Amino acid sequence: MRFLLTDEQREFGRSLDALLTAADTPAVLRAWAAGDHGPGRALWGRLADAGVFALAVPEAYGGVGPLPVEAAVACVELGRHAVPGPVAETLAAGVLLAGAGGPVAEEWLPGIASGAAVVSLTLEGYGPYAPDADAADAVFTVTGDELRLAPGPGEPSASADPARRLFRPEPGGAPVAKGPAIRAAARAAGDTAAFATAALALGCGEELLRATVAYVKQRTQFGVPVGSFQAVKHRLADTLLGLEFARPLLYGAAAELASEVSRPGAGTGSAAGPPGAGAAVAAAKVTAGEAGYAAARTALQLHGAIGYTEELDLAWWLRRARPLRDAWGTPSVCRARVLAG
């Protein structure tokens, strides 16, 4: 078994990093938080052109997926650059609608793959809120064995991340699909959302650590960089270890999900995962989420008072770490799922 990314996968990550470095994501984040989704939608289109959202859509609907390993590579980069928008939710919707099949899949999946459609969703067992529903072209909800298209985004709720607004979708809406396949598709979509969020959290933590290391080399006390202090070195080393421990769990979960895709009958409407996939995803989610949040705490402490200021671009990553930790499975829920698995 190969445990390393291929040259093509690494190059895919580097190409996304270059694209996002040139995109000035802090400016995009500020516009998104202020309600101006134009720059974010433009960036979304460029990411779609690079193939990001096609990774969760089957070839029959204009995608190239499901490709969980490549999706992990992409989401880590999107997390490192704090790309706004319902990234995990749109990828999960691709899995949900592919499992549902029928007219709703034919209508929405090509748009998701091409980037023309931004989608948010809520699933039973994961809370009532749909992130960035005001910016989405569709908000899907699943209750029992019914898939519905929400009639509107609903009212916003408080969010720790101003660039990740939460909405409780308006109730009602006619069912667009129903039946036992919806329950199975919803389970697979929940795993995909948790998996993608784990990758986003890992990328967020990596950027927080990178920025903090750069800062402690510049900030001085007693005439020397604070990064030369033993206590600071230990704190940074612990943060690095947490992130590096999460990485193999993330790609282990990707391998589990990829093995599901390769099973006979996969992609024909059945979205139920193998027994180990859910536990592997939960392990990756809790570990990456905790590591990203620990990186935020380290970054805030070592940046000092400047870490509290909104003028510092890093504040957007600091505010994102905890919501990512708790979204699509809190640490306690994920640990319980690992034990049950």
Side-chain angles (χ1 to χ4, degrees):
M1 179 179 292
R2 182 181 179 87
F3 290 99
L4 297 175
L5 297 177
T6 65
D7 291 340
E8 291 79 7
Q9 290 164 342
R10 293 178 183 276
E11 181 56 34
F12 179 50
R14 286 191 291 267
S15 68
L16 291 177
D17 178 42
L19 184 158
L20 292 168
T21 298
D24 188 16
T25 52
V28 176
L29 279 163
R30 286 185 166 86
W32 191 275
D36 178 7
H37 301 132
R41 290 295 296 253
L43 178 58
W44 195 278
R46 293 198 291 274
L47 291 169
D49 291 341
V52 170
F53 302 107
L55 295 172
V57 177
E59 292 183 16
Y61 298 100
V64 296
L67 294 174
V69 177
E70 286 76 6
V73 172
C75 286
V76 169
E77 292 302 324
L78 269 59
R80 285 208 310 116
H81 291 273
V83 172
V87 172
E89 293 73 24
T90 296
L91 293 173
V95 173
L96 173 66
L97 299 179
V104 67
E106 295 172 359
E107 178 180 359
W108 287 99
L109 285 178
I112 289 175
S114 69
V118 176
V119 177
S120 191
L121 81 164
T122 65
L123 300 174
E124 270 189 317
Y126 290 99
Y129 298 112
D132 297 307
D134 61 330
D137 300 296
V139 179
F140 291 98
T141 64
V142 175
T143 304
D145 61 358
E146 288 189 342
L147 171 64
R148 296 174 181 267
L149 182 60
E155 292 297 319
S157 299
S159 173
D161 181 357
R164 182 182 167 85
R165 302 177 69 199
L166 301 177
F167 291 80
R168 188 187 292 266
E170 293 179 5
V176 294
K178 62 173 60 178
I182 299 302
R183 290 182 182 270
R187 288 196 298 270
D191 283 346
T192 299
F195 171 71
T197 303
L200 293 169
L202 178 60
C204 179
E206 287 181 346
E207 176 57 20
L208 286 162
L209 178 60
R210 183 208 64 78
T212 305
V213 170
Y215 182 71
V216 298
K217 290 179 179 179
Q218 300 172 357
R219 181 183 173 189
T220 61
Q221 284 185 355
F222 311 112
V224 297
V226 297
S228 65
F229 300 160
Q230 196 74 1
V232 172
K233 292 180 180 179
H234 285 173
R235 185 69 184 265
L236 293 170
D238 288 343
T239 302
L240 176 61
L241 284 173
L243 294 168
E244 289 302 317
F245 185 72
R247 192 183 314 280
L249 291 177
L250 176 68
Y251 286 107
E256 291 280 2
L257 292 171
S259 69
E260 171 188 348
V261 173
S262 64
R263 285 182 304 132
T268 60
S270 174
V281 169
K285 175 64 173 61
V286 65
T287 309
E290 295 280 35
Y293 182 51
R297 291 170 64 89
T298 296
L300 185 58
Q301 180 182 22
L302 297 185
H303 274 79
I306 193 175
Y308 289 95
T309 62
E310 291 191 1
E311 290 76 14
L312 182 70
D313 286 343
L314 196 70
W316 295 98
W317 281 258
L318 290 170
R319 289 179 170 185
R320 180 154 294 198
R322 182 160 184 172
L324 288 175
R325 185 195 71 169
D326 295 339
W328 295 105
T330 63
S332 60
V333 167
C334 289
R335 289 189 177 96
R337 193 175 185 190
V338 171
L339 292 173

